[in-house]
Amino acid sequence: VILNFENINFIKSANQVSQFPEDSGSEILVLDKSTMQYIPRKKLKSVALQSIRNEDNALERIKILLKSDDPVGLFARQVILDTLCYAAGKIGELTDTPFSIDNAMKWGFGWDVGPFEIWDALGVSEVASLIREDGKVLPTWIDEFTSRGKSFYV
């Protein structure tokens, strides 16, 4: 979708009206691309989100999302698998150990668990298969782990 912002003034000058929404109190507004007007956001209804709402354990939330076939679950699955594949590609480039990447994500970005901890919890071979099914190529060191049935933290 390409939006035409040509005739929209996003910066308020002395004699222009701003295209930013006026203060709406506590209500969250979103931009309607068809009218280019701000409207109240619609609540997203998702079985996947409802199923993880009361789960405190991050790994369990991820497992539930990966099993869900509603749009949110499918989106989460794609993001998680892409993230794990990307992290695997950084071994040897940024660091030599999965442990370092996990700590960087936890300490630097506030993740509850790192990508390789997630991968371990889901099963190294199983996740590698899911990533390959998506048509992605994993580094050769992952093949060594999967062929030996290893995990990243054992």
Side-chain angles (χ1 to χ4, degrees):
V1 174
I2 298 175
L3 299 176
N4 181 1
F5 292 106
E6 198 171 273
N7 298 319
I8 299 174
N9 299 315
F10 284 97
I11 300 173
K12 191 174 188 178
S13 67
N15 43 3
Q16 288 182 325
V17 176
S18 171
Q19 292 297 317
F20 291 109
E22 297 299 321
D23 183 15
S24 62
S26 62
E27 183 176 34
I28 296 175
L29 300 178
V30 296
L31 182 64
D32 180 345
K33 294 181 283 188
S34 63
T35 64
M36 297 305 288
Q37 298 296 316
Y38 286 93
I39 60 172
R41 75 172 175 173
K42 296 176 185 165
K43 294 282 185 178
L44 178 65
K45 296 185 192 263
S46 165
V47 174
L49 292 179
Q50 287 292 62
S51 63
I52 64 169
R53 186 172 304 274
N54 296 320
E55 180 57 61
D56 292 331
N57 183 302
L59 289 172
E60 289 303 314
R61 288 193 306 265
I62 291 168
K63 287 178 184 179
I64 293 167
L65 282 173
L66 287 177
K67 291 178 185 173
S68 175
D69 60 355
D70 81 344
V72 170
L74 295 174
F75 175 75
R77 173 190 162 113
Q78 191 63 54
V79 169
I80 291 165
L81 294 178
D82 285 352
T83 301
L84 299 180
C85 184
Y86 178 80
K90 295 301 152 190
I91 299 293
E93 180 183 337
L94 300 177
T95 183
D96 291 330
T97 65
F99 176 76
S100 298
I101 289 180
D102 282 345
N103 283 341
M105 298 307 289
K106 293 187 289 187
W107 298 342
F109 296 98
W111 285 28
D112 291 338
V113 290
F116 293 99
E117 292 170 315
I118 294 168
W119 201 327
D120 252 4
L122 299 173
V124 176
S125 295
E126 293 82 356
V127 170
S129 294
L130 291 173
I131 291 171
R132 285 187 185 102
E133 285 172 17
D134 273 356
K136 302 208 177 15
V137 178
L138 288 167
T140 55
W141 70 269
I142 293 289
D143 294 330
E144 296 170 18
F145 272 75
T146 56
S147 67
R148 296 181 195 157
K150 287 187 174 183
S151 73
F152 300 114
Y153 283 97
V154 172

